[in-house]
Amino acid sequence: MASTRCIVALALVSALAHGHDHSHTHGHDHQLKHGQGHEHGQGHAGAAHHAGSSADTTTGWFNGLNVAWNQFGYDIGGGSYDEAWFTNYMQEAQANGENAARFWVHTDGRASPSFASDGSVSGLPSTFTSDLLSLVGLAQSHEVVLQLCLWSFDMCKDETGSGSTHASLISSETKTQSYIDNALKPMLTSLSA
C-alpha cells in the first residue's frame, strides 16, 4: 500500500469540445494577510485573465490558469462556496481562451474533509458534494478542464495555529486509508454519477 501513502493530487479531466491555443501566460495573484496566523486572500476580484491569440483547434494544447481558491480552505464544504464568483471566473477564462484550471480541494484541511479526534478522516462536510459538483459543472459549461488538486503542502503546516497538522495522512497508512475510504471514494462516486 506504499503507493496509496503518496496520494497528493488528483486530476479530473472533462472532454473538451475543441483544442485551444497555449501561447500566452496567465496571471492569478493571491494576497497574503498576516496577523491571525497565515490566512490567504479572499475574493480575487482582480484576478487577471490575459487574452492569447486565436484558438488553434488542431493542436489540443491546454492554456491554463491557477484558480487555486477564492476562500482559502473554505470553498468546498466549508460554508463559503461562492457560485457567482466561480461563474465569473470561468466566464472570463472562456472569453480569454483559457481551457484548463487548477483548483485546490482541501488545501490544508481546515474545513474538509471531516476528521475524527485521532486525526483520521471520518467523512465529508454536508455541503461538500453539492459545492464540488457545482464547481465542476461551471467549469464544464465554460469548456474549462478542471484539475482538482486534493491537498496543498499546507496540510503539513499549522496554518490555523491549532497545534496540529494533517501530515499524518501521508505518514500513517491507516489514516491514508481513512481518507481514501471516507472522503476520496465518496467524492469520486459523486463525480462519476
Side-chain angles (χ1 to χ4, degrees):
M1 297 222 88
S3 63
T4 62
R5 291 174 39 186
C6 295
I7 292 177
V8 176
L10 169 70
L12 299 174
V13 179
S14 60
L16 291 175
H18 56 315
H20 297 278
D21 176 34
H22 189 67
S23 65
H24 76 276
T25 60
H26 70 277
H28 182 77
D29 298 326
H30 67 273
Q31 302 171 8
L32 296 179
K33 295 180 180 179
H34 299 284
Q36 301 175 344
H38 184 73
E39 292 189 6
H40 296 268
Q42 302 175 14
H44 302 288
H49 295 273
H50 303 285
S53 59
S54 62
D56 177 353
T57 59
T58 61
T59 63
W61 286 101
F62 285 122
N63 187 21
L65 60 145
N66 184 31
V67 178
W69 56 77
N70 178 31
Q71 303 287 330
F72 182 84
Y74 294 103
D75 286 321
I76 305 298
S80 293
Y81 179 69
D82 186 344
E83 185 173 355
W85 188 89
F86 284 107
T87 297
N88 182 61
Y89 199 97
M90 296 300 173
Q91 286 171 342
E92 288 183 24
Q94 184 178 32
N96 288 296
E98 296 163 340
N99 66 351
R102 180 175 70 163
F103 178 79
W104 300 101
V105 177
H106 305 301
T107 60
D108 64 353
R110 65 181 60 195
S112 80
S114 301
F115 290 91
S117 60
D118 68 354
S120 63
V121 174
S122 59
L124 295 168
S126 62
T127 62
F128 183 91
T129 300
S130 61
D131 293 347
L132 184 61
L133 290 176
S134 175
L135 178 64
V136 169
L138 287 171
Q140 186 176 25
S141 69
H142 291 93
E143 298 181 339
V144 174
V145 173
L146 192 60
Q147 178 187 12
L148 297 176
C149 300
L150 298 176
W151 294 96
S152 165
F153 66 88
D154 295 300
M155 72 182 289
C156 298
K157 297 166 59 179
D158 184 11
E159 295 281 352
T160 61
S162 66
S164 65
T165 71
H166 298 299
S168 63
L169 290 177
I170 298 169
S171 61
S172 165
E173 191 169 317
T174 302
K175 290 180 183 172
T176 299
Q177 194 63 49
S178 75
Y179 175 75
I180 292 168
D181 293 340
N182 299 323
L184 183 59
K185 285 181 179 179
M187 179 178 12
L188 293 175
T189 298
S190 68
L191 288 169
S192 66

